[in-house]
Structure formats: structure tokens, C-alpha cells
């Protein structure tokens, strides 16, 4: 297959940059109709040949490699007056030259081949590196996205240098090639520029979510696109942080990667899905589809050592591949085609290779066979392999990108090769994002002291110090049942098929089917019933659950029919619940010392008192219901009566909680999210739905607080014991609505606002306290504190309230800034 692709490029396209396999000719920029940004990879430098150099060596084609190097040295020019992508030229051409140089040195050291070689490819690489350097001449250190190979970025003759934005991956996928160039040549300037760009991106990460956006302004550092994922626009930034640590041994890269990775797994990873989110509101999905470039991520997770999610995401990608023959450029969360093209991308093959190395599971050899078979059946044409224009129809596009030869055949060959098939030990190399091979020995190469380091001093270095930085090639899961058990539910989720009509169920025969209105996601009996009906359940990060039914997984045809009915009922129930989008409500803490200054955003209920029709709202003191879930009869009804009950989300329907506290005499209820860390600043508005039954019997108001806001209320209650709140459709003006009676011992003061804000305060003294002064309320509170057990619990609690409020306000400011930016 490689020979078919490579020989057709050499016969029909060389010295052009790429082969056009349908018309059997070369693609020369300027002679073919422009394809927009895609053409920025083409620089009239025989791109495919340079990109393929180290593949030739890996596939034991040493003679062809030697001939190819001679061709590059004699034919390729790097000083063309042409504008190219800095990112693509770096990973494909500079990376290709460095990979070729690494292979040439390895062969020369072997004593049989390339004995004539005198670092010519390295000299070309340095020449190219110097031509890319002008792009880094920005105040931020982030490179311009494009550069003129002859004239740089300044001046009218460059026809570039006016851009303001670049993608995160474009600026963050430089360090491997530039550091290797510095280590090979001894010139630190390249590594220094690449490190500066990475440092700037790190500084500009969103500090709350620790995520980066997709597009950034190279001058100001402002995020232009604030969506964040692991696919197009960001992918190789994360890849290069981890691989830079492996190649260079600098702990700082690993520390940054680990911080990013934790956030990816917290917000973006919803196994088996990887969904983009907003960096300021990371619990809010930014889109409902995934792009094919994220297929590299399971491979990166293997390098990280996090195998379980790698298996799960890879299995999802494999099932999508089997469904459409290839991974579409983008596909939806229910695995339908979003963008139908497939330019023969290698990322899925890359992850397949890494997972096979980690598990030794022959299942991944079968996945590799699927890739091979589909390439030969659907993409192979007389003059090479053609990209798919539409995976649904099987139509072709007249392109064969250089990465097909640079990456696809490397990973497939390595997947199937035995040790004796390989001409050298690949464990001594790191793969760049273009699969070029850079030797790990570069980590000990001399370099300038001008480059900051977080590593051991040079004189302490020896090979044993670096054993731990290499990927672990031993089998991590010798039991093949482990990955199989992870894959099976994902296979059924992707491979949705309509069940055959099931036989009629006799009334009263067997167990009655589960009804959607009765379903509880945390009821083990219900989950077992779902399993029997072929329904699988996926917990999403924001507390919701996703249900997928696959009839062939049901225990019987009758159970499958019940599953179909259950899914239909659930869809109807969901549509009923979503038909009316209510605005958010407000919970205002009106008691001392808040006096209405703290307003918490609350989610409404689709039942109970409609606060938008109440001028005064509902005002009362809060108390925690027992049981806290509110899912059974309230045991502390004496305390709940006449109060607003606090409840925890979960274990039963919201309407059931409302009925229980209403029966106990509560005047209102507040449900607090059990999903730790959730906040109205970062998550979409939550609306509490009914239970599918008539809810007219519920007459009290019920509001929902996310965990962060709920914690503020709970901490206030812990510290001040009596906390009064106002439930309303919007916050009331403190000046006119909060004429608050403040009861302190035997003295009562009436304030139109908080005393410390200058509001008028009048003191009414009782006969026994005629000499009381304005400090008495504070003294009474102090005496109350002294009655508490020893310890500084109150001061600690007070501090925690302040911290919570400060944290909450900081999040709110970030949220408001994001809203402003979007407007």
C-alpha cells in the first residue's frame, strides 16, 4: 500500500508538493484553483517527499531513502517567494528534515549506509528555521500564522503580517521541532522562541477552568474563540506539552500538562465523548458534535498512562468508523455525520497503535485490519489513494495529503510489525504530531544556559536518570477481559438499530414494565430493569443522564418492546418538561449581616407558586429538612413548619420533595445541588420539572441552587443560626424593600439598610435596658458566642463565608466579562 502511494507520487507528481490521485498529476500552488487555508501547507518544496523521508527508513526502504535524500538536497529550494503556514511548515517540512537527519545519522552510525552524509539535511533544517523565525517577532511571542519564506512578515512584498489571530495549536506546536533544531545545531534561539510562545499560552489560560480557547490574538493575548476541546485548533498543544517533557525532561512541561489534563477530564471528557465547552462556563457544552482530529487523544492518554478512558473513547471512534467506513470530519453526539469529508487522516490509526502497545489486546489488530481494508476498498485508486469527499456516498476528492505517507503507514506498519521487522528500536524516539522521529538522546544534548530549565544539572545526567521519562511498553492489562468489558456498552450505544416488532404482551404476564414517570437514576432496581430492556445510562458532568436503547441487548423480545415504550415515554416526558423555559429566580439573604446585599441566582420549578405573579415573594427563615433528601416524610416537621426548607438534590423527583415539605408545613423550599463545584456562573440555568403527574396540589414555591450558591447559604446558616431569605422573581431594592426588623436580645433596631453603609438606624430600648447604647446588639452577639464550646469555630466559619462570597463574586465577574465579550 505504501509503495502504491509513494511510487505514484514520484511518478506523477514529484517535484510538486502533493499528488492529485484522480487526475494523476502534481498539485502546484497557483496552477490549481485555490482551496483557501488548506493550500498554506504548500510551499513549492516537494512537501510529500520531505514528509516521507523517515517513513522510508522505518519500512526498511534504505535504498529509496538514500535516493530521496539526494533528491531533496539537489532539487528542493526553501527561499521561494511564497506565503506558507508557520504551523504546517514546522511540523511537516522542518519536522521531516529533522526526522530525515535523525534517520541518516542512525544509518551512518550503523556503518553500512549514508556514509557520505555530512549533516546536509540539518543545514537545510536550520535554513528553514531561520526563515520561520521572523513570524515570532510579536510583543507576545506568539508567531504570526503565516510567513513569506523569502521576505518574512514585514513589508508589502511579504503579502502577509497583517493577521491578528492564530489558533492555540498553531502557536503551541513548535517546541519539539525547534528544541530539536537547537539541540542538534547548538543554537539556542529556536528553542527559546518556542518556549516563550508556550509560556504565553500558559499565562493566558482561563484560571478558573485551567482550559485554553481555540483562537487567540497574537498581539493582545485576548481569546478570540473561547470554546475549548481536544480537537481542531487545540489538539497538538496538549500533545506537545507532554511530549516536550518526554523529549526534553523539563518537569515544568509535565506539570502544565497535568493541570490541563485534570480539567479536560473534569469538563470535556464525558466518556466515551469528548465535547467542547466554554472556557468561562466549562459545564456548558459549546457544540453538539466532535471533529475527527480528536481521535489522537486516546493515544495521548496511553502515553499519560490513563488507559480506561482511552479504551472507551477509542471504542466509540471505532464504532463510528465501522458505521461510516471512515471517521467523518465531524460527527454528532448521536454519531451521525456532521461534516462528511475524510482526507485520510491518521489519528485513529495512531491511537489504535498506542492502545495495542499498552494492552497487547489482539482486538486492536482487528481495528487496524478494518482501517486497511477500508482504505483498499474505498480510497485506493489507480494513481494512489484519494481522500473521501463524502463518506456516505463514497465519492472521492482529488487530493492525497502528505501526512498520509508521513503518518498513516508508520502507525499501521508498527501496529502489525514484529520486533525483527523493525530496522531500529522506536522506543528510543518520540513521535512528533506529524509522526516524525526525534531521538530521546536530545534530552542530554548540550544547550545554552540562556534557556530556563527546571531539570537536574548537566553533570548529574546519565541514561539511568531518564529511564522513567520513556513510555512504558510493558502490558498494562494482561487480562483481555478488562478492555472488552469497557468496550461492550459503548458499542451498543453507537450501533443504534431499530428493533423488530415484538410479540404482544399478555396483560398480567411477568413483571410490569418500568414507566418513565417512575424512573429514578440512582435506584439499583430501576437500573437493572433498564439493563434487561437493553437501555444503557450515561451520567453527564452537569448531573443529567443520557439514555440509549439497543434492542438486541435486551434479555428478550418482550423486554425490548418495553424498552422502546420506556424510551418513547421518556422523550414525551422530557419534551413536556422543556416546553416552557422559565426565567431564573432570586434568593436574597435579608437577615444580618447580609441585609439583602447577597442575591443568589436560583432555578425555577415548573410547578408550585409562580413567583413572577407575586409582588412580595415569599419571605422566611431557612431550616434544613430531615431527611435532607426530602424523599420521605419529614421527621423534623416542628422546625420546618412556617420555615423555608433546605433540601438536597437526588434520590427522588423534585415534586415528591415539594409534597413532603408542604405536608410538614413549610412555606417554601430550596433544593441544593449535590454535584460538587457546580455554579450558576458556569452551568446553564437549571429548571426543575414535574414528575409527569398532575402537580396542582403543590402550592408552595420551590427553587434550585447550584452547589456553590447553596454552600453560601449553608455556611451562613452554620454561622448565624437564623438566616432569613426572600424568594422572588428578582432581587428587591434594599433601600425600599428591606426595612428589616433586627432582633438582638432585648433591643430591636429598625434599619433601612446595613448600618455600615450609612443607612438610617433607630434604636428602641426596653425599660430594663434604658442605658443601652448602639453597640449593644454587637455585645449580645458576643455573649452568645461565648456560650459555644471552646474553640474558634465561629471565626473559622466567618472566614469561610467571606472566602465563599469572594470566590463567588470572582466567578460572577468572569461570567459577566464573558457575556460582555460575546455581546
Amino acid at each position: 500500500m505504501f509503495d502504491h502511494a509513494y511510487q505514484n507520487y514520484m511518478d506523477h507528481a514529484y517535484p510538486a508538493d502533493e499528488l492529485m490521485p484522480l487526475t494523476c498529476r502534481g498539485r502546484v500552488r497557483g496552477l490549481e484553483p485555490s482551496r483557501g487555508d488548506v493550500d498554506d501547507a504548500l510551499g513549492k518544496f516537494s512537501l510529500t517527499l520531505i514528509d516521507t523521508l523517515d517513513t522510508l527508513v522505518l519500512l526498511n526502504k534504505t535504498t529509496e531513502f538514500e535516493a530521496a535524500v539526494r533528491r531533496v538536497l539537489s532539487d528542493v529550494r526553501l527561499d521561494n517567494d511564497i506565503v506558507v503556514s508557520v504551523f504546517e511548515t514546522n511540523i511537516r517540512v522542518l519536522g521531516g528534515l529533522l526526522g530525515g537527519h535523525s534517520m541518516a545519522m542512525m544509518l551512518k552510525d550503523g556503518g553500512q549506509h549514508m556514509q557520505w552524509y555530512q549533516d546536509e539535511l540539518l543545514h537545510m533544517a536550520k535554513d528553514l528555521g531561520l526563515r520561520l523565525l521572523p513570524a515570532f517577532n510579536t510583543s507576545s511571542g506568539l508567531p504570526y500564522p503565516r510567513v513569506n519564506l523569502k521576505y518574512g512578515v514585514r513589508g508589502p512584498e511579504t503579502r502577509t503580517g497583517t493577521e491578528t489571530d492564530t489558533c492555540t495549536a498553531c502557536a503551541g506546536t513548535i517546541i519539539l521541532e525547534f528544541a530539536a533544531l537547537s539541540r542538534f545545531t547548538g543554537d539556542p534561539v529556536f528553542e527559546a522562541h518556542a518556549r516563550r510562545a508556550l509560556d504565553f499560552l500558559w499565562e493566558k489560560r482561563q484560571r478558573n477552568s485551567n482550559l485554553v480557547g481555540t483562537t487567540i490574538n497574537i498581539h493582545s493575548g485576548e481569546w478570540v474563540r473561547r470554546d475549548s476541546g481536544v480537537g481542531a485548533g487545540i489538539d497538538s498543544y496538549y500533545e506537545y506539552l507532554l511530549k516536550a517533557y518526554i523529549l526534553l525532561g523539563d518537569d515544568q512541561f509535565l506539570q502544565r500538562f497535568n493541570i490541563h489534563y485534570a480539567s479536560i477530564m473534569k469538563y470535556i471528557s464525558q466518556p466515551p465523548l469528548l465535547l467542547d465547552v466554554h472556557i468561562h462556563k466549562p459545564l456548558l457544552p459549546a457544540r453538539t458534535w466532535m471533529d475527527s482530529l480528536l481521535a489522537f487523544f486516546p493515544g495521548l492518554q496511553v502515553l499519560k498512562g490513563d488507559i480506561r478512558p482511552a479504551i472507551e473513547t477509542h471504542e466509540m471512534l471505532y464504532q463510528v468508523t465501522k458505521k461510516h467506513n471512515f471517521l467523518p470530519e465531524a460527527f454528532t453526539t448521536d454519531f451521525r455525520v456532521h461534516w462528511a469529508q475524510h482526507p485520510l487522516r491518521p489519528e485513529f490509526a495512531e491511537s489504535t497503535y498506542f492502545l495495542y502497545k499498552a494492552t497487547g489486546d489482539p482486538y486492536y489488530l482487528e481495528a487496524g485490519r478494518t482501517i486497511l481494508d477500508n482504505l483498499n476498498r474505498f480510497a485506493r485508486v489507480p494513481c494512489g489513494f484519494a481522500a473521501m469527499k463524502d463518506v456516505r456516498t463514497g465519492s472521492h476528492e482529488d487530493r492525497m495529503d502528505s501526512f498520509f505517507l508521513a503518518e498513516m503507514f508508520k502507525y499501521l506498519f508498527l501496529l502489525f510489525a514484529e520486533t525483527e521487522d523493525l530496522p531500529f528500536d522506536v522506543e528510543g524516539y518520540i513521535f512528533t504530531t506529524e509522526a516524525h522521529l526525534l531521538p530521546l538522546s536530545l534530552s542530554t544534548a548540550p544547550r545554552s544556559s540562556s534557556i530556563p530549565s527546571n531539570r537536574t544539572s548537566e553533570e548529574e545526567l546519565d541514561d539511568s536518570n531518564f529511564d522513567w521519562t520513556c513510555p512504558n511498553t510493558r502490558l498494562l492489562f494482561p487480562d483481555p477481559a478488562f478492555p472488552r468489558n469497557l468496550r461492550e456498552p459503548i458499542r451498543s450505544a453507537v450501533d443504534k438499530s431499530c428493533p423488530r416488532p415484538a410479540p404482544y404482551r399478555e396483560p398480567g404476564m411477568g413483571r410490569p414494565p418500568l414507566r418513565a414517570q417512575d424512573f429514578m437514576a440512582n435506584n439499583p432496581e430501576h437500573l437493572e430493569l433498564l439493563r434487561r430492556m437493553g437501555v444503557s445510562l450515561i451520567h453527564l458532568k452537569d448531573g443529567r443522564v443520557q439514555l440509549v436503547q439497543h434492542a438486541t441487548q435486551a434479555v428478550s423480545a418482550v423486554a425490548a418492546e418495553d424498552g422502546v415504550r420506556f424510551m418513547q415515554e421518556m422523550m414525551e416526558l422530557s419534551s413536556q418538561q422543556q416546553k416552557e423555559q422559565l426565567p431564573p429566580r432570586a434568593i436574597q439573604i435579608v437577615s444580618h449581616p447580609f441585609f439583602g446585599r447577597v442575591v443568589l441566582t436560583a432555578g425555577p420549578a415548573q410547578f408550585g407558586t409562580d413567583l413572577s405573579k407575586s409582588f412580595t415573594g415569599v419571605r422566611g427563615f431557612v431550616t434544613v429538612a430531615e431527611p435532607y433528601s426530602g424523599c420521605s416524610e419529614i421527621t423534623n416537621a416542628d422546625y420546618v413548619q412556617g420555615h423555608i426548607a433546605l433540601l438536597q438534590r437526588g434520590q427522588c423527583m423534585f415534586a415528591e420533595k415539594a409534597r413532603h415539605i408542604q405536608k410538614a408545613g413549610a412555606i417554601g423550599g430550596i433544593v441544593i445541588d449535590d454535584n460538587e463545584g457546580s455554579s450558576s456562573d458556569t452551568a446553564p440555568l437549571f429548571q426543575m420539572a414535574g414528575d409527569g403527574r398532575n402537580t396542582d396540589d403543590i402550592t408552595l414555591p420551590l427553587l434550585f441552587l447550584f452547589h456553590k450558591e447553596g454552600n453560601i447559604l449553608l455556611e451562613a446558616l452554620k454561622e448565624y443560626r437564623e438566616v432569613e431569605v426572600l424568594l422572588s422573581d428578582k432581587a428587591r431594592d434594599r433601600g425600599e424593600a428591606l426595612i428589616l426588623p433586627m432582633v438582638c436580645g432585648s433591643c430591636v433596631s429598625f434599619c433601612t439598610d446595613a448600618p455600615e453603609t450609612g443607612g438610617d438606624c433607630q434604636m428602641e430600648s426596653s425599660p430594663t435596658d434604658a442605658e443601652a447604647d448602639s453597640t449593644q446588639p454587637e455585645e449580645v452577639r458576643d455573649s452568645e458566642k461565648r456560650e459555644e464550646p471552646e474553640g474558634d469555630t465561629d471565626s473559622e466559619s466567618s472566614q469561610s463565608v467571606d472566602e465563599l462570597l469572594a470566590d463567588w463574586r470572582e466567578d460572577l465577574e468572569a461570567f459577566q466579562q464573558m457575556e460582555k465579550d460575546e455581546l
Side-chain angles (χ1 to χ4, degrees):
M1 290 173 69
F2 171 83
D3 289 343
H4 180 67
Y6 178 69
Q7 205 53 54
N8 272 290
Y9 166 74
M10 295 305 296
D11 291 346
H12 300 292
Y14 182 81
D17 283 316
E18 288 180 347
L19 169 68
M20 298 173 70
L22 299 182
T23 52
C24 301
R25 57 197 172 99
R27 182 179 296 279
V28 179
R29 193 165 167 191
L31 299 183
E32 302 295 333
S34 173
R35 300 176 298 170
D37 291 349
V38 177
D39 283 341
D40 287 344
L42 312 180
K44 297 182 179 178
F45 36 35
S46 301
L47 173 64
T48 298
L49 183 62
I50 292 176
D51 221 359
T52 309
L53 289 176
D54 51 6
T55 308
L56 288 165
V57 178
L58 185 67
L59 270 60
N60 291 291
K61 298 181 180 296
T62 311
T63 304
E64 290 89 334
F65 171 73
E66 197 155 348
V69 171
R70 291 186 185 277
R71 282 180 182 271
V72 169
L73 298 181
S74 63
D75 298 350
V76 173
R77 292 179 58 109
L78 298 173
D79 60 351
N80 301 312
D81 179 11
I82 194 166
V83 176
V84 295
S85 161
V86 173
F87 166 74
E88 297 289 357
T89 305
N90 173 67
I91 65 171
R92 299 202 207 188
V93 187
L94 182 57
L97 291 170
L98 292 172
H101 171 68
S102 300
M103 296 294 97
M105 293 300 293
M106 183 267 295
L107 291 172
K108 184 178 181 181
D109 291 345
Q112 291 187 344
H113 304 279
M114 301 295 293
Q115 296 303 300
W116 54 270
Y117 182 69
Q118 298 293 327
D119 294 347
E120 289 89 348
L121 290 178
L122 180 59
H123 298 150
M124 288 184 70
K126 184 173 182 179
D127 178 28
L128 181 59
L130 291 171
R131 294 180 185 280
L132 294 178
L133 276 185
F136 291 81
N137 188 18
T138 61
S139 57
S140 67
L142 299 179
Y144 282 95
R146 298 176 187 84
V147 67
N148 187 300
L149 288 176
K150 187 171 186 177
Y151 297 113
V153 294
R154 297 289 169 87
E157 69 275 12
T158 67
R159 304 185 303 284
T160 189
T162 58
E163 303 93 343
T164 58
D165 307 334
T166 193
C167 73
T168 301
C170 301
T173 311
I174 307 288
I175 184 66
L176 292 189
E177 292 82 3
F178 270 40
L181 184 56
S182 283
R183 304 298 176 93
F184 275 133
T185 63
D187 187 343
V189 66
F190 306 105
E191 185 172 342
H193 277 88
R195 282 177 178 264
R196 185 182 173 211
L198 274 181
D199 289 345
F200 190 83
L201 288 174
W202 172 250
E203 286 300 314
K204 290 300 177 180
R205 74 192 186 283
Q206 212 289 323
R207 297 304 176 95
N208 289 326
S209 65
N210 279 316
L211 296 173
V212 291
T214 303
T215 309
I216 192 170
N217 185 296
I218 59 175
H219 304 297
S220 69
E222 293 294 319
W223 291 111
V224 179
R225 277 184 53 195
R226 295 174 177 83
D227 48 318
S228 183
V230 295
I234 303 180
D235 49 2
S236 47
Y237 163 68
Y238 294 132
E239 178 186 2
Y240 269 37
L241 281 178
L242 180 57
K243 289 184 175 179
Y245 164 68
I246 295 172
L247 179 66
L248 306 176
D250 191 331
D251 290 343
Q252 188 180 70
F253 293 126
L254 181 63
Q255 290 162 2
R256 291 178 181 180
F257 173 80
N258 284 337
I259 290 171
H260 280 316
Y261 186 77
S263 291
I264 291 169
M265 298 310 291
K266 182 176 181 181
Y267 299 119
I268 294 169
S269 174
Q270 298 187 18
L273 310 179
L274 291 162
L275 293 176
D276 283 20
V277 299
H278 294 284
I279 58 174
H280 291 91
K281 300 171 74 175
L283 294 176
L284 186 66
R287 62 190 192 193
T288 57
W289 47 271
M290 295 166 277
D291 65 73
S292 63
L293 285 171
L294 61 74
F296 90 100
F297 197 67
L300 190 65
Q301 289 179 306
V302 170
L303 278 185
K304 158 76 175 163
D306 199 1
I307 307 295
R308 181 185 181 119
I311 291 171
E312 293 173 331
T313 298
H314 179 276
E315 180 61 20
M316 178 268 292
L317 296 167
Y318 185 30
Q319 296 306 318
V320 174
T321 297
K322 292 204 289 188
K323 194 169 188 174
H324 303 294
N325 298 324
F326 299 97
L327 269 183
E329 273 293 76
F331 51 92
T332 62
T333 52
D334 56 354
F335 316 114
R336 290 178 289 110
V337 172
H338 185 67
W339 295 336
Q341 309 97 312
H342 173 74
L344 308 182
R345 293 201 185 276
E347 286 78 13
F348 178 65
E350 174 185 355
S351 288
T352 303
Y353 161 66
F354 278 111
L355 270 168
Y356 180 66
K357 290 289 287 184
T359 65
D361 189 343
Y363 179 83
Y364 296 109
L365 297 178
E366 291 299 328
R369 189 210 301 269
T370 300
I371 299 170
L372 285 175
D373 289 347
N374 288 343
L375 284 172
N376 280 322
R377 287 177 61 198
F378 303 110
R380 188 166 184 148
V381 294
C383 285
F385 290 83
M388 307 305 296
K389 189 174 185 178
D390 192 319
V391 297
R392 295 164 298 191
T393 62
S395 57
H396 289 120
E397 192 174 350
D398 200 5
R399 66 186 278 196
M400 188 180 81
D401 290 81
S402 69
F403 54 68
F404 183 61
L405 286 164
E407 300 183 67
M408 181 69 83
F409 293 112
K410 270 201 193 86
Y411 290 124
L412 290 178
F413 183 75
L414 285 168
L415 175 64
F416 293 106
E418 302 294 341
T419 305
E420 58 269 20
D421 298 326
L422 300 175
F424 60 93
D425 183 8
V426 294
E427 301 305 334
Y429 295 81
I430 189 77
F431 289 108
T432 69
T433 195
E434 190 78 3
H436 292 306
L437 293 152
L438 298 178
L440 292 176
S441 57
L442 287 172
S443 63
T444 60
R447 61 178 186 157
S448 168
S449 58
S450 64
I451 300 173
S453 173
N454 294 286
R455 212 188 57 192
T456 322
S457 62
E458 297 288 349
E459 57 270 15
E460 295 176 7
L461 296 177
D462 62 66
D463 288 344
S464 63
N465 287 340
F466 286 88
D467 289 345
W468 60 284
T469 68
C470 302
N472 184 351
T473 58
R474 291 176 299 173
L475 300 188
L476 300 183
F477 294 107
D479 177 11
F482 179 81
R484 185 168 64 244
N485 293 338
L486 295 179
R487 290 191 295 258
E488 283 175 356
I490 295 161
R491 184 178 307 130
S492 64
V494 177
D495 185 25
K496 289 187 230 176
S497 60
C498 296
R500 298 195 201 105
Y504 173 70
R505 184 194 191 102
E506 291 286 340
M509 292 289 289
R511 180 186 304 190
L514 177 66
R515 307 306 299 269
Q517 63 190 34
D518 300 322
F519 170 65
M520 294 294 160
N522 56 358
N523 185 317
E525 185 179 350
H526 289 184
L527 296 178
E528 173 60 19
L529 288 172
L530 288 190
R531 188 194 67 77
R532 294 178 64 82
M533 294 189 297
V535 178
S536 56
L537 181 143
I538 302 172
H539 288 272
L540 302 181
K541 288 281 194 291
D542 59 5
R544 295 177 299 147
V545 294
Q546 182 177 14
L547 297 168
V548 178
Q549 202 244 358
H550 187 51
T552 58
Q553 299 291 318
V555 295
S556 69
V558 173
E561 183 187 15
D562 289 342
V564 172
R565 187 185 298 112
F566 174 82
M567 295 294 285
Q568 290 170 342
E569 288 179 357
M570 190 59 77
M571 285 187 284
E572 290 168 9
L573 183 61
S574 178
S575 63
Q576 288 171 14
Q577 294 170 355
Q578 295 174 11
K579 65 184 177 184
E580 185 182 2
Q581 291 297 317
L582 300 172
R585 304 296 188 222
I587 297 176
Q588 199 163 5
I589 309 180
V590 297
S591 54
H592 172 85
F594 304 97
F595 301 113
R597 286 171 298 173
V598 173
V599 182
L600 307 174
T601 301
Q606 295 176 345
F607 52 83
T609 302
D610 185 352
L611 291 171
S612 66
K613 297 177 181 176
S614 171
F615 176 73
T616 58
V618 174
R619 180 167 168 168
F621 289 91
V622 297
T623 189
V624 177
E626 295 177 7
Y628 191 23
S629 68
C631 292
S632 59
E633 189 168 336
I634 304 301
T635 58
N636 62 337
D638 291 344
Y639 292 97
V640 168
Q641 186 172 10
H643 287 70
I644 294 172
L646 300 182
L647 307 153
Q648 187 177 43
R649 179 184 183 183
Q651 300 183 35
C652 64
M653 301 293 267
F654 294 115
E656 188 176 343
K657 298 176 191 287
R659 289 189 178 99
H660 282 134
I661 61 170
Q662 181 172 289
K663 183 179 178 182
I667 60 173
I670 299 172
V671 178
I672 297 174
D673 194 8
D674 59 347
N675 186 16
E676 190 170 349
S678 65
S679 168
S680 62
D681 306 332
T682 55
L685 176 67
F686 191 90
Q687 218 166 248
M688 293 181 289
D691 55 3
R693 303 186 180 94
N694 190 315
T695 53
D696 292 344
D697 59 313
I698 302 173
T699 57
L700 53 66
L702 191 71
L703 297 182
F704 177 87
L705 283 180
F706 282 106
H707 186 270
K708 204 170 206 177
E709 289 82 356
N711 230 23
I712 292 171
L713 194 55
L714 291 171
E715 288 293 333
L717 185 62
K718 187 194 302 182
E719 181 175 357
Y720 300 107
R721 297 180 193 77
E722 291 193 336
V723 174
E724 191 178 15
V725 300
L726 175 67
L727 313 183
S728 59
D729 63 330
K730 59 184 178 182
R732 299 291 190 252
D733 189 325
R734 295 194 303 270
E736 62 183 51
L738 301 181
I739 303 175
L740 307 175
M742 192 168 65
V743 182
C744 300
S746 56
C747 163
V748 181
S749 65
F750 292 91
C751 305
T752 57
D753 206 337
E756 56 267 42
T757 63
D760 295 326
C761 229
Q762 298 173 342
M763 188 72 65
E764 292 187 0
S765 302
S766 69
T768 57
D769 289 309
E771 296 180 0
D773 62 18
S774 60
T775 63
Q776 184 175 351
E778 189 63 42
E779 291 169 359
V780 174
R781 286 198 301 279
D782 287 343
S783 69
E784 287 174 350
K785 287 179 186 176
R786 282 194 290 272
E787 294 170 9
E788 291 293 312
E790 289 185 9
D792 198 20
T793 55
D794 272 12
S795 63
E796 289 173 6
S797 180
S798 175
Q799 183 182 5
S800 64
V801 171
D802 292 341
E803 289 173 351
L804 282 165
L805 286 169
D807 190 27
W808 177 63
R809 289 194 186 100
E810 185 181 318
D811 284 355
L812 190 61
E813 287 170 8
F815 170 71
Q816 289 168 339
Q817 182 61 42
M818 189 198 74
E819 295 292 321
K820 177 182 172 186
D821 291 346
E822 288 178 350
L823 286 172

